[in-house]
Amino acid sequence: MALIVEDGTGMATAESFISVAGADTRQANLGNTNWATITTAEKEQALRRATQYMEQAYRERWAGLRVNSTQALSWPRVGVVVDGYSVLSTSVPAAIANACSDLAFKAAAGDLNADLARGVVREKIDVLETEYDRASPQHVRYRSIDMLLAPYLEGAAGMARLVRV
C-alpha cells in the first residue's frame, strides 16, 4: 500500500509527515548510507512508525491547534509562531518533516517505543550479581529530535497544557 503523505490540507488518511523521496534526500544529505540499503516498502513502514511515534510523544505538546477535527495527524496547525513568524497553516514545516525522517532512520533499525527495562549497573551469573541503576531513564529519549522540534512545542516533557475556562 502506497504511503499517504500529509500535503498541508489536513488529510483524514495521512500516514506520514514526509515522503520516501523526501526522506531519501534528507538521509543522503546527512550521510546515513544505511537508509539507501532498505527497500521502499521498509522505508514506508519506518516512516509510518516514526509518524506514529511523533503523534504519541508530542501530540499534547504541539503549539497551536489542528486545522480541522478530521485530520489524521497533528500537522498542519493554526496559531503557531516560530522565531516571531507565523507558520503557514497549509503546510507541514520542514523541521517536522525532517524529524519524521530522522526517526524513520532510527525506526528502520529497531523499535522506537521499546518496552521499558531497568538500566543494569552490574550483573551476576553464578558468583556474579546484577545491580540496577535506579537513576537511569526508563525510556529512550531522542535528544536530537527533541531539539529539532523544540520551537514547535509548548512546555517541556512531562508537562500538561493548562486551559482556563
Side-chain angles (χ1 to χ4, degrees):
M1 184 164 106
L3 183 69
I4 303 170
V5 180
E6 175 57 58
D7 62 5
T9 62
M11 300 167 60
T13 57
E15 302 173 299
S16 178
F17 293 119
I18 190 169
S19 66
V20 170
D24 286 348
T25 299
R26 168 83 173 165
Q27 296 311 312
N29 289 343
L30 292 175
N32 293 330
T33 55
N34 289 346
W35 180 256
T37 65
I38 64 175
T39 67
T40 299
E42 290 169 330
K43 290 175 184 179
E44 289 178 352
Q45 292 166 357
L47 287 166
R48 286 184 187 101
R49 288 193 307 272
T51 303
Q52 181 182 33
Y53 177 87
M54 290 175 72
E55 288 294 309
Q56 293 168 349
Y58 301 105
R59 182 181 183 118
E60 297 298 321
R61 295 181 49 213
W62 294 122
L65 302 167
R66 289 169 164 240
V67 170
N68 65 64
S69 63
T70 60
Q71 69 189 69
L73 304 178
S74 293
W75 287 88
R77 299 181 79 77
V78 295
V80 179
V81 177
V82 174
D83 296 331
Y85 297 96
S86 293
V87 175
L88 289 175
S89 63
T90 56
S91 69
V92 173
I96 305 302
N98 288 341
C100 185
S101 174
D102 294 354
L103 280 167
F105 178 72
K106 294 176 186 305
D111 188 358
L112 296 174
N113 280 323
D115 293 335
L116 301 179
R118 296 178 84 185
V120 177
V121 173
R122 186 175 41 205
E123 186 172 13
K124 181 177 184 176
I125 299 173
D126 193 18
V127 293
L128 303 173
E129 65 184 65
T130 301
E131 180 181 339
Y132 294 99
D133 180 8
R134 294 180 187 180
S136 69
Q138 291 297 303
H139 65 281
V140 174
R141 284 198 54 207
Y142 301 102
R143 194 156 154 69
S144 62
I145 303 300
D146 289 345
M147 292 188 308
L148 184 61
L149 296 178
Y152 299 90
L153 301 172
E154 294 178 342
M159 296 182 73
R161 184 180 302 187
L162 173 65
V163 178
R164 295 183 188 223
V165 194

